[in-house]
Amino acid sequence: KVDYLGQSTQFRIYHPNNRKQSLKIKMSNLIEFNSTDHETDNKVSSFASLDYDWESIEGANTFYQNISVIKNVYRAYDILDDNNNEADDVDFNLTTIFFKEDGELENGDLILANSVKFNVDITNWPFLDQDNYLKLCINLNTRNPDSSSSSSDSDSADT
């Protein structure tokens, strides 16, 4: 089961066999950095006010490389802060795949049940320089009644 948490970029994925265990995911920001690791003006300061939609794909016939999964897609449109008027078509997709069973991926890697995979797709980002890179910050919080609650902030995913 997946809960979308209000009018925000947060969602919670529940363990299929134990609703007391969950993973909460929240997109925080997306920032372009230059080659000397300084922030540029190209950024998404917050995902909270973006135009977006959710798609949850769950069911007996939902698979990723022949492994049963729950798949959620978050799509945000025209994401870049208003400082760049030429970048009205920058879109962001975050696909979250929750594996419901053990399996083997096509590349030979083994996946355990309850593993989570993220795919990020950003289209038409207007990099200010070819050597610049993006840093995406995602907050992850887990809830497990059998242990203390934990959380982590994913510092970045450089692309």
Side-chain angles (χ1 to χ4, degrees), residues 16 21-22 33 40 72 77 90-91 98-99 105 108 141 149:
Q21 295 178 349
S22 64
F33 284 80
T40 71
N72 296 281
Y77 308 98
V90 179
D91 295 335
F98 181 83
F99 291 88
L105 298 176
N141 293 338
S149 180

Side-chain angles (χ1 to χ4, degrees), residues 2-150:
V2 176
D3 284 339
Y4 302 100
L5 305 175
Q7 197 66 9
S8 69
T9 58
Q10 299 181 63
F11 60 102
R12 184 180 302 278
I13 302 172
Y14 292 92
H15 188 287
N17 301 322
N18 183 350
R19 284 200 32 99
K20 294 181 180 179
Q21 295 178 349
S22 64
L23 172 67
K24 184 169 85 170
I25 300 159
K26 176 184 178 186
M27 279 71 70
S28 292
N29 59 45
L30 176 66
I31 301 170
E32 181 177 336
F33 284 80
N34 65 24
S35 60
T36 58
D37 298 325
H38 290 95
E39 204 174 293
T40 71
D41 289 334
N42 266 3
K43 65 179 89 175
V44 178
S45 301
S46 170
F47 282 83
S49 62
L50 297 177
D51 181 24
Y52 67 91
D53 61 53
W54 292 102
E55 179 183 11
S56 182
I57 305 165
E58 184 176 2
N61 297 319
T62 305
F63 294 93
Y64 178 83
Q65 296 186 13
N66 297 316
I67 303 170
S68 182
V69 299
I70 298 170
K71 185 176 177 183
N72 296 281
V73 181
Y74 166 84
R75 293 181 189 92
Y77 308 98
D78 301 331
I79 65 171
L80 202 57
D81 287 355
D82 288 336
N83 61 345
N84 189 332
N85 294 328
E86 297 177 12
D88 289 338
D89 293 329
V90 179
D91 295 335
F92 177 92
N93 290 331
L94 172 74
T95 303
T96 306
I97 300 169
F98 181 83
F99 291 88
K100 295 166 46 175
E101 62 185 5
D102 295 347
E104 184 175 342
L105 298 176
E106 292 171 358
N107 66 3
D109 288 347
L110 297 178
I111 284 287
L112 298 177
N114 306 319
S115 296
V116 178
K117 175 181 176 19
F118 297 99
N119 291 333
V120 175
D121 181 36
I122 301 165
T123 57
N124 300 322
W125 187 272
F127 283 98
L128 298 175
D129 188 272
Q130 68 180 11
D131 294 329
N132 290 2
Y133 62 94
L134 296 176
K135 192 177 274 192
L136 171 63
C137 184
I138 299 175
N139 298 326
L140 302 174
N141 293 338
T142 59
R143 185 169 59 187
N144 183 348
D146 300 328
S147 66
S148 62
S149 180
S150 65

